[in-house]
Amino acid sequence: MKILMISAEAVPFAKTGGLADAVSAMAIALSRLGHDVRIVLPRYYRIDRRNLTPLPGALGIAAGQTEAWAGLYMTEMPGCPEVTVYFIDHEQAFGRDGIYGTKSESDFHDNPYRFALLCHGAFQICRRLGWYPDIVHAHDWSAGLAPIILKHVVRNGPFENTASVLTIHNLGYQGQYGKDSFPALGVDWGLYYGAGLEHNGGINLLQGGVSSADMITTVSPTYAREIQTMEGGFGMDGLLRVRGDVVRGILNGADLKAWNPKTDKLIPSNFDEKSLENKAVCKAALQKKLGLPVRADVPVIGIVTRLVDQKGIAELFAPSYGCMYRMCSQVDLQFAVLGSGEKWCEDEIRTLQTKLPNMRAYIGYDEQLSHLIEAGSDFFLMPSKYEPCGLNQMYSLLYGTLPIVHRTGGLTDTVENYNEHTGEGTGFMFDSLTPDAVFNTTGWAVYAYYNRKEHIKKMQERGMKKDFSWERSARAYERVYTEALARGIKK
C-alpha cells in the first residue's frame, strides 16, 4: 500500500513525547513489510534546512482565508532510507521555538491555522508528486483536519480511492479553540456542523477527525474501551461509542534496538534472562551514581516520568497526601527517580531528598540514566491515572524490572498481575489510584522480593521473553488499512 502519515512530530526531527517515537517506528515497521510509507511534518525552526533537500517551486496551500505559499523539503528517515519525510516550510507558522507552544505561551493562539497548513499541505504535496496514497494516516488532534479534508473536500478527485485512519495517542489533548478560529481551517462554513467540528460553541479538531475518519485506532486495546466510557472519554465518549464499530486498539511496539539489555551500550553490564546475575552490576552502578547506599540486598524501585497530573504524581509526592515519605520511612527499600515537570512536584522531590537517605532523584532528563534505572532497578513504579499505551513498563519487563502499575490502559494490556500462590504474573497491579493503594501494592512487591525470591526470578524471566516488536503492531495496522479501504471506497 501507499501510506501517507501526517503528524506534528516524529523522531529524530521533532519530539515532545511518545507520539514522535510511535510515528517513526510505525512508519519504519510498515516500510519493512513492503509498503511505500511517507511522512509529512512542519519544518520547525530547529530543523536545519541545510540537512534537507529542497524541492523546486512554492507550494500553494488553501489554509486560512487566502492562499498561503510554502517551501517544500525532504529527507530520508535515518536508519530507513525507504521512508521519505517531507517538510512544509512556512516561516510565519512554523519558524518559532516549540511545537504546540512555549513556556510563555503554552498553546499557540494560531495553532488551528498552523496545523491546517500541515493538513492541507499534505494533500498538495501528493498533487505535486503525482503520488496518491491508499491511506492517509492522521496522528492526534493536530492532524485531525486531514480526515475531514479527505471526506468532505477532495474525495471526488484523485483521492477518490484513498481512505483515512486517525490514531488517538492521547484523548486528553483534543485541539479545542474558539469559533473565531474556524476561518483559519480553510474549509467551508457548512463543515462547522457538517464535519463534527462544533464543540460547545467552539471547534474541536480531534472531534472532527473522529467524526470523519474511515477507521479510528488508539494505542492499546484497553484504552480503546476506556475512551468509550464517561470516566475515560474526556467528553468525547458518546461520539466514540457511536463510531465504536470502527474503533480498534493496537498496542504500540517498543524500540528493541535502543531498549535491549543484551546489547544496550548505555548500561555497564549486559544481560538476558539466562544471565540475570549481571543485572546486579547495573544495580550497584545505579546506587553509586545517585548516591544511594550500595546494597545488593535491598530492593531498588525506579521511576522515570513526566511530573504531570496524568502520571499520578499527587498520590506519590503531594505534601501531606502522597505516600513517598511513608514508603521510604517505613519500608526497607530505595527509590531512584528521574523526571521533570510541574514546579511544585520538582520542589517537593528536592525537599524529600533532604529528609530521606533512601530516595535520590535527578530533576530533568538524562538518556543514559533512564537506561540505568531500567536496568538497575528491581521494580518500576508507574501509577498513571490513565495511560493510553505506556512504554516504560515494556522497557522494564524487557530488562527484568518488575512493574508496579495502576490497572489502566496499556498497563493492563502489558502487565500480568502476580499470583502469590502460583508465582505466575509479570508485575504488581492495583485498581484504584490512591496513596494507600500505591503504598500497599509497593509493600506487596517488596514482601515478595524478600520472601518469594523464586517467584521474583520466574517473573523476571517471563517478562524478558515478551514480544513488544513493532512488526506485530504493523501487521495489525495492515488489517486496519484494509478495512478502512473497504469502508472508505464504499462511500
Side-chain angles (χ1 to χ4, degrees):
M1 298 181 198
K2 292 182 287 186
I3 302 159
L4 180 70
M5 295 197 175
I6 305 174
S7 177
E9 47 185 291
V11 293
F13 309 105
K15 176 178 176 175
T16 64
L19 166 64
D21 298 295
V23 168
S24 296
M26 189 187 305
I28 292 169
L30 286 163
S31 175
R32 288 176 177 162
L33 293 179
H35 303 289
D36 181 357
V37 188
R38 308 185 187 193
I39 302 173
V40 177
L41 295 171
R43 205 285 299 177
Y44 301 110
Y45 176 75
R46 292 184 180 275
I47 302 173
D48 194 337
R49 291 188 187 98
R50 292 173 294 181
N51 298 327
L52 309 175
T53 301
L55 276 72
L59 198 66
I61 304 175
Q65 295 172 291
T66 59
E67 189 171 35
W69 294 92
L72 180 59
Y73 291 80
M74 63 179 286
T75 192
E76 297 172 347
M77 176 65 71
C80 187
E82 295 80 12
V83 174
T84 303
V85 185
Y86 298 97
F87 298 87
I88 296 172
D89 188 37
H90 188 280
E91 196 70 25
Q92 179 187 343
F94 304 124
R96 61 184 86 169
D97 286 329
I99 294 177
Y100 310 104
T102 60
K103 284 191 174 180
S104 59
E105 186 181 1
S106 60
D107 189 37
F108 291 134
H109 70 281
D110 59 345
N111 273 345
Y113 178 70
R114 298 173 71 236
F115 294 117
L117 276 173
L118 171 66
C119 294
H120 283 285
F123 290 95
Q124 284 294 83
I125 291 170
C126 295
R127 293 186 182 99
R128 164 75 68 83
L129 300 172
W131 180 87
Y132 297 99
D134 299 298
I135 298 292
V136 167
H137 192 154
H139 291 274
D140 262 352
W141 69 266
S142 48
L145 191 62
I148 298 171
I149 295 170
L150 179 61
K151 181 176 181 179
H152 297 283
V153 181
V154 303
R155 176 72 87 184
N156 296 324
F159 296 94
E160 62 182 355
N161 293 320
T162 301
S164 64
V165 174
L166 172 68
T167 295
I168 301 170
H169 294 262
N170 189 333
L171 191 63
Y173 302 91
Q174 298 181 7
Q176 297 185 47
Y177 298 92
K179 188 176 182 179
D180 58 349
S181 292
F182 184 85
L185 302 183
V187 296
D188 188 87
W189 267 105
L191 297 181
Y192 179 61
Y193 292 104
L197 283 160
E198 188 279 332
H199 178 79
N200 292 337
I203 60 172
N204 184 316
L205 293 170
L206 186 63
Q207 179 180 285
V210 167
S211 300
S212 301
D214 295 309
M215 292 293 292
I216 301 159
T217 70
T218 191
V219 290
S220 71
T222 296
Y223 193 59
R225 294 188 293 272
E226 290 175 349
I227 61 176
Q228 297 180 62
T229 68
M230 188 175 295
E231 296 77 19
F234 286 91
M236 211 183 288
D237 51 292
L239 173 61
L240 286 161
R241 286 194 298 273
V242 168
R243 302 230 59 207
D245 63 324
V246 301
V247 176
R248 303 287 183 270
I250 300 173
L251 190 71
N252 279 346
D255 183 347
L256 301 184
K257 284 188 175 179
W259 294 94
N260 184 340
K262 290 184 281 190
T263 58
D264 192 337
K265 295 179 180 178
L266 298 179
I267 60 176
S269 180
N270 295 118
F271 59 92
D272 60 18
E273 67 273 15
K274 295 177 183 176
S275 56
L276 271 167
E277 64 276 5
N278 292 346
K279 186 175 168 68
V281 177
C282 299
K283 180 174 179 174
L286 173 62
Q287 290 170 321
K288 185 176 180 181
K289 183 174 180 67
L290 288 181
L292 290 163
V294 179
R295 292 175 53 191
D297 62 329
V298 67
V300 175
I301 300 174
I303 298 174
V304 179
T305 188
R306 287 182 294 118
L307 300 176
V308 295
D309 185 61
Q310 179 203 331
K311 300 300 183 179
I313 58 172
E315 287 72 17
L316 275 178
F317 298 113
S320 74
Y321 175 71
C323 64
M324 181 58 74
Y325 185 86
R326 230 191 329 159
M327 287 192 291
C328 288
S329 57
Q330 295 182 19
V331 184
D332 191 12
L333 49 68
Q334 294 177 348
F335 268 96
V337 181
L338 171 64
S340 63
E342 295 186 19
K343 186 177 183 301
W344 75 261
C345 192
E346 293 182 357
D347 292 343
E348 181 62 19
I349 289 171
R350 292 187 182 99
T351 300
L352 285 169
Q353 283 195 105
T354 66
K355 301 176 181 177
L356 299 168
N358 54 345
M359 190 203 91
R360 289 292 176 265
Y362 179 91
I363 302 299
Y365 185 72
D366 182 299
E367 184 71 15
Q368 184 167 7
L369 181 56
S370 72
H371 282 247
L372 187 57
I373 288 174
E374 290 288 9
S377 299
D378 299 290
F379 303 100
F380 191 92
L381 181 56
M382 203 166 171
S384 305
K385 283 188 175 179
Y386 69 96
E387 194 63 65
C389 175
L391 288 172
N392 277 103
Q393 84 280 8
M394 296 187 202
Y395 303 155
S396 298
L397 289 165
L398 295 172
Y399 281 68
T401 300
L402 302 181
I404 304 169
V405 300
H406 181 205
R407 197 191 304 267
T408 185
L411 304 178
T412 304
D413 295 321
T414 49
V415 180
E416 299 149 36
N417 201 20
Y418 172 52
N419 184 321
E420 57 193 20
H421 302 294
T422 66
E424 294 297 309
T426 56
F428 300 83
M429 307 180 80
F430 52 91
D431 291 307
S432 299
L433 178 55
T434 65
D436 283 346
V438 178
F439 178 87
N440 292 333
T441 308
T442 302
W444 182 33
V446 170
Y447 176 85
Y449 176 88
Y450 283 120
N451 298 285
R452 296 285 189 271
K453 292 191 180 296
E454 70 285 2
H455 285 182
I456 293 292
K457 189 169 188 294
K458 289 294 184 186
M459 293 168 73
Q460 289 176 309
E461 292 170 349
R462 199 175 296 122
M464 295 180 79
K465 294 175 183 176
K466 288 286 185 180
D467 177 15
F468 294 127
S469 69
W470 264 104
E471 181 180 349
R472 168 191 51 79
S473 305
R475 296 284 186 193
Y477 275 105
E478 285 182 321
R479 295 189 288 273
V480 167
Y481 293 158
T482 300
E483 191 172 353
L485 284 165
R487 289 175 180 273
I489 294 171
K490 280 180 186 176
K491 295 174 184 175

